[in-house]
Amino acid sequence: GTSANITARFGFDRRQQNTVQYWTPTVGGFSARFGYGANEERTATVNPSMASASAAWQNAVFYVGAAYEQHKGYGSPGSRDKANQVFGQAKFGAFTVGLLAERLKYAGFSPASTTSYKGAVLATSAGGGLEVSDWFASAAWQFGASNVSLGYGRDQKVKLNGRDDTTRKARQTSLRYGYDFSKRTQVYVMATRLDNGSNSANGFGFQTIGNVAGQDPKGSGVGIIHKFYVTPLGLPGRCLSGRPNIRYLRRGYLNRA
């Protein structure tokens, strides 16, 4: 919901309501996407908005691109949080490998300290701020109707209030198995584990269990994916699902609650 987006300032993987998007046609393998979220979450104290853009190129083997997103007014008046990301994926027969790297920067804290998943962020006037650089790698193998995926990611650098702090880093390991009943339907099981540093409190998305610094959350689940086929007129036709997302295994790692 909209109220959850306001309070969860540190999340860039979110469900944003009522956005305007434009996706360009694909020309020579190149495409771009643009998005804007207006201030419908405005309250008496904050007037938030967001904008994002991405560009990608792909062929039968490679998929590479970059993305940028900016949040204004989330958490406190005048705040400006930014995310930069580059990603790539390559498919060689039954094997697929991917790599993603990003940098998150949060600025504009007032008037007092703000609690984050990496510790207390001081007010900007006192030198407060938070920067997190991280990466995530994945590998997948398709054999018959089965597929196995493994993912590993970690914080490369955490800078809190102007100082690097290795105790605030985290890493994640994930394993997933899926079985395709058809081209449209798959069932899967997965397990994941977060390993937090002594002063890190990363968690699984917008969950409500409450994260404590130094704890190592674990998760597992089962599910089913069904792809619906439609045409622009709403009739059965081409599948709308696009290129496999290399972030598939990393759900929760950057969904900072």
Side-chain angles (χ1 to χ4, degrees):
T2 56
S3 61
N5 283 341
I6 295 176
T7 57
R9 170 178 178 174
F10 300 96
F12 275 91
D13 297 317
R14 61 174 67 207
R15 291 182 180 271
Q16 190 71 22
Q17 294 190 3
N18 299 325
T19 61
V20 178
Q21 299 185 34
Y22 173 69
W23 296 15
T24 69
T26 300
V27 180
F30 291 93
S31 63
R33 299 178 181 183
F34 305 90
Y36 177 77
N39 62 344
E40 293 192 13
E41 298 165 317
R42 183 174 182 175
T43 69
T45 57
V46 294
N47 185 24
S49 64
M50 61 172 290
S52 60
S54 67
W57 174 83
Q58 70 179 73
N59 61 13
V61 178
F62 298 104
Y63 174 57
V64 295
Y68 171 81
E69 185 166 304
Q70 177 176 272
H71 298 173
K72 292 183 179 180
Y74 282 90
S76 61
S79 66
R80 181 169 296 186
D81 305 328
K82 303 176 182 179
N84 292 277
Q85 185 180 98
V86 293
F87 51 88
Q89 182 174 281
K91 182 175 177 61
F92 306 100
F95 295 92
T96 303
V97 293
L99 181 64
L100 177 152
E102 69 181 359
R103 176 174 294 173
L104 309 176
K105 184 176 181 179
Y106 305 89
F109 293 86
S110 64
S113 64
T114 301
T115 301
S116 77
Y117 62 100
K118 295 300 186 184
V121 186
L122 300 177
T124 302
S125 58
L130 175 63
E131 295 183 35
V132 180
S133 300
D134 55 60
W135 58 269
F136 191 89
S138 65
W141 178 36
Q142 180 80 38
F143 53 102
S146 298
N147 57 84
V148 176
S149 303
L150 176 66
Y152 177 80
R154 63 177 299 162
D155 291 324
Q156 188 66 27
K157 182 179 181 180
V158 178
K159 190 174 184 179
L160 179 66
N161 301 323
R163 299 181 60 183
D164 294 342
D165 192 339
T166 59
T167 69
R168 302 186 189 277
K169 293 182 179 181
R171 63 180 184 270
Q172 182 189 20
T173 305
S174 299
L175 179 65
R176 181 184 186 277
Y177 170 78
Y179 184 85
D180 299 323
F181 283 100
S182 69
K183 292 182 178 180
R184 300 174 58 186
T185 305
Q186 180 190 94
V187 294
Y188 67 89
V189 296
M190 68 175 298
T192 187
R193 174 190 170 100
L194 277 168
D195 294 290
N196 280 305
S198 58
N199 288 308
S200 174
N202 283 55
F204 297 121
F206 294 108
Q207 35 82 346
T208 58
I209 61 175
N211 305 322
V212 177
Q215 287 188 345
D216 301 324
K218 305 177 185 67
S220 60
V222 298
I224 184 170
I225 298 172
H226 183 76
K227 301 174 183 177
F228 293 92
Y229 290 71
V230 296
T231 67
L233 296 179
L235 302 175
R238 182 175 178 272
C239 180
L240 293 179
S241 62
R243 186 84 174 203
N245 191 336
I246 67 171
R247 300 174 68 178
Y248 197 60
L249 279 172
R250 68 193 290 275
R251 292 181 180 178
Y253 185 60
L254 288 181
N255 293 345
R256 299 338 202 273

